[in-house]
Amino acid sequence: MNWYVVYTKPKWEKKVADKLSQIGIECYCPLITQIKQWSDRKKKVEVPLFNSYVFIQIEDINRNSVFQIPGVVRYLFWLGKPAIVRNEEINVIKNSLNASNIADVSVTEIQVGDRIKLETGAFNNQSAIVQEVSKTHYILVLESLGCVLKIKYK
């Protein structure tokens, strides 16, 4: 079976994933924990790694059954066809989020355009291209995952 990407209404990712699981469709909504600041407190909350996206694994003939779930908008398309995500890519996301040995990283003399290999943390063994270097952060392009990573430092 193929993995597809379902586009959801904003802030509906977890609700859609729960409903899909309830009707027997295998889905994956990668979550990360963030600390949110309110005027009177701080709280740890789980937020989706990819806004408005849920990965589902479903047979081609059953693809339309996801539209019975409130909050599902459409499939993500690539070159006129529903985008297919490989199992290896899903596993990389899962393994990256399950990494428990995230360490502080210090880098010196990195230039825009440099190709680097991340050696620790959630994106271990991933190659990246440096897109931006500032006083507070680096922006790296992870081509293998098709995403941009922003690393803040103190």
Side-chain angles (χ1 to χ4, degrees):
M1 280 193 290
N2 292 321
W3 284 94
Y4 295 99
V5 182
V6 172
Y7 185 76
T8 67
K9 291 181 180 178
K11 310 287 186 200
W12 279 62
E13 303 91 345
K14 292 195 279 187
K15 294 177 219 165
V16 167
D18 288 342
K19 293 290 185 185
L20 288 168
S21 295
Q22 287 175 6
I23 65 168
I25 296 175
E26 184 175 351
C27 63
Y28 178 53
C29 180
L31 301 172
I32 57 174
T33 302
Q34 290 183 342
I35 297 175
K36 295 286 185 175
Q37 173 81 44
W38 283 270
S39 61
D40 61 339
R41 68 190 185 285
K42 288 183 181 179
K43 186 176 181 182
K44 287 184 181 180
V45 293
E46 283 190 326
V47 296
L49 181 61
F50 304 107
N51 292 333
S52 297
Y53 293 131
V54 174
F55 300 99
I56 63 164
Q57 190 173 33
I58 194 167
E59 294 285 341
D60 286 341
I61 58 172
N62 297 327
R63 279 192 315 117
N64 286 335
S65 63
V66 301
F67 294 112
Q68 66 186 354
I69 302 298
V72 172
V73 176
R74 61 181 171 81
Y75 280 97
L76 181 69
F77 279 76
W78 176 255
L79 300 175
K81 297 179 182 176
I84 295 176
V85 181
R86 297 185 319 237
N87 281 328
E88 298 83 32
E89 294 167 325
I90 296 292
N91 290 334
V92 165
I93 295 168
K94 287 179 180 179
N95 292 337
S96 297
L97 292 177
N98 290 335
S100 60
N101 61 342
I102 298 174
D104 291 333
V105 179
S106 62
V107 183
T108 57
E109 298 182 32
I110 295 291
Q111 302 292 323
V112 173
D114 285 352
R115 183 173 291 274
I116 62 171
K117 185 170 185 177
L118 302 174
E119 296 178 355
T120 62
F123 297 98
N124 190 22
N125 292 325
Q126 294 294 317
S127 124
I129 298 173
V130 178
Q131 185 177 37
E132 179 181 322
V133 178
S134 80
K135 293 180 182 179
T136 59
H137 65 272
Y138 294 99
I139 295 184
L140 307 175
V141 177
L142 301 173
E143 292 176 327
S144 64
L145 297 177
C147 68
V148 176
L149 177 65
K150 183 175 182 178
I151 300 176
K152 294 182 183 179
Y153 53 90
K154 298 176 185 175

